[in-house]
Amino acid sequence: MTDHRKLKNHERLQMSNTSRIKGATDFHHVFVYGTLMSGYGNNRRIEDAEFVGRAETIEPYVMLAQGIPYVFEVGHCMVDDMKSPPRYKDGRPIKGEVWKLNTDQLASCDQLEGHPIWYRRKQIKVRVHGCH
């Protein structure tokens, strides 16, 4: 059975800081992977947003692909390869990108990913390459 706590693209991997600027739109720093990244088909939903940089998660996660990639928290993903009993799989940092999205862009990504029913966003820590 599939664990519905799985993470996908930005839905489950939203970086913490949400900035507020007086008189302006709210912005959200969002970590994305998969088809929302630069050069992939769904990036068109955020291509007008500000690209912050390439990044990776601080904590390890488990990524599985069954047509589309799924990311699970370590310890919450049971892997059944049909050759051995179900087991928990070790994880590793997930590579992706951080984008600064406005509320409309975030809503577009949520609609694409089915947030919060199919996937959900989660605040996490990421390391943005080139930032000190």
Side-chain angles (χ1 to χ4, degrees):
M1 181 163 223
T2 303
D3 182 347
H4 288 284
R5 291 178 288 185
K6 62 188 161 191
L7 309 176
K8 165 113 167 68
N9 291 342
H10 78 285
E11 308 77 20
R12 302 202 179 207
L13 301 178
Q14 179 180 8
M15 194 167 93
S16 49
N17 293 332
T18 298
S19 346
R20 282 197 170 216
I21 301 169
K22 282 187 178 180
T25 306
D26 288 339
F27 289 97
H28 314 270
H29 288 95
V30 179
F31 174 83
V32 303
Y33 69 89
T35 63
L36 283 168
M37 290 176 55
S38 303
Y40 292 92
N42 287 320
N43 182 259
R44 68 184 178 279
R45 291 181 181 256
I46 61 174
E47 66 188 355
D48 293 334
E50 180 184 335
F51 176 75
V52 176
R54 299 209 180 280
E56 66 182 0
T57 62
I58 300 293
E59 298 296 322
Y61 291 88
V62 176
M63 181 183 286
L64 300 175
Q66 294 178 335
I68 55 174
Y70 295 97
V71 175
F72 298 82
E73 293 174 325
V74 172
H76 291 129
C77 172
M78 291 191 53
V79 177
D80 183 2
D81 62 9
M82 308 285 274
K83 296 177 185 163
S84 59
R87 67 195 186 285
Y88 290 100
K89 187 173 178 181
D90 294 331
R92 65 177 187 206
I94 302 297
K95 295 180 187 225
E97 300 172 341
V98 173
W99 289 79
K100 184 177 178 182
L101 306 183
N102 65 35
T103 302
D104 292 338
Q105 291 160 333
L106 182 62
S108 176
C109 290
D110 285 347
Q111 187 272 331
L112 170 71
E113 304 294 350
H115 170 73
I117 296 167
W118 185 243
Y119 297 105
R120 64 176 171 80
R121 273 184 267 117
K122 177 182 178 181
Q123 290 187 352
I124 64 164
K125 293 181 181 180
V126 301
R127 179 177 299 111
V128 179
H129 301 288
C131 290
H132 302 280

